[in-house]
Amino acid sequence: AQQILGIDVTDDKCMEKFGTELDEPVDIVINNAGYFYGPVEQVTADSCNFDEEMKMIDICAVGPLRVTNALFQAGKLKSGAKVAMITSQGGSIAWRDVQNGDDGGDYGHHMSKAAANMMSKLLSQELKGKGIMVSILHPGFNKTEMTKKYEHIWEIEGAVDPSVGAKRVMHEISLMTLENTGTFINCEDGLPIPW
């Protein structure tokens, strides 16, 4: 397996390097860039950090587009390739009423995931004619550094070890077709998530 080090999804020049240094086209791309600013952001608590919000959007939404664009421009995505965008149910506007109730908050996270979902949907439409599939996948609630600020509810909410989340993602990738490209799937149960 080839390793390319020193890649930053927020750096356009790194992305050019990444695309050109790959030896061969890839069959599966898993865009799993993520960043979740630590404190819960709330307007009412005067705890919004706008620089961090832009950083989350750059990493979580624009970053995967940079990666996929670099691969496509370098000729490393061919017909039959699969691009899995690991996003979050946190980007579902419809589920905010269920998940957040009347609390709101965590603006950067939710905005970055909604933007990632939109980018992924548009990309799926654009690449479908080239025979390239794009899926938008919520891996489930995983026990990671990124979700550690919610470890007090990991067991209550059914958070799983990252290896379980990865198996769920790989299962959904195996089901990707041109017919279901652009769908937003919950890897916990395989069902679509509303936008």
Side-chain angles (χ1 to χ4, degrees), residues 4-114:
I4 300 173
L5 304 175
I7 299 301
D8 177 351
V9 300
T10 65
D11 186 321
D12 295 340
K13 293 204 182 308
C14 281
M15 291 299 96
E16 288 175 27
K17 171 186 173 190
F18 172 63
T20 57
E21 287 191 7
L22 270 176
D23 293 335
E24 298 177 17
V26 293
D27 298 320
I28 298 173
V29 177
I30 301 174
N31 279 304
N32 193 35
Y35 174 66
F36 197 167
Y37 177 62
V40 174
E41 294 181 280
Q42 294 179 314
V43 169
T44 55
D46 194 22
S47 59
C48 290
N49 185 321
F50 302 110
D51 289 338
E52 290 293 326
E53 289 173 11
M54 294 306 294
K55 181 177 176 181
M56 283 184 269
I57 291 168
D58 195 21
I59 292 170
C60 300
V62 183
L65 180 59
R66 282 189 188 97
V67 169
T68 308
N69 180 65
L71 292 171
F72 186 83
Q73 298 308 321
K76 303 298 168 49
L77 286 180
K78 303 289 185 187
S79 181
K82 296 179 176 183
V83 179
M85 300 293 192
I86 308 303
T87 69
S88 171
Q89 57 81 15
S92 166
I93 293 169
W95 277 14
R96 294 298 39 90
D97 291 328
V98 175
Q99 297 286 321
N100 292 77
D102 292 329
D103 293 336
D106 274 335
Y107 293 97
H109 173 68
H110 295 299
M111 290 187 304
S112 73
K113 297 306 181 178

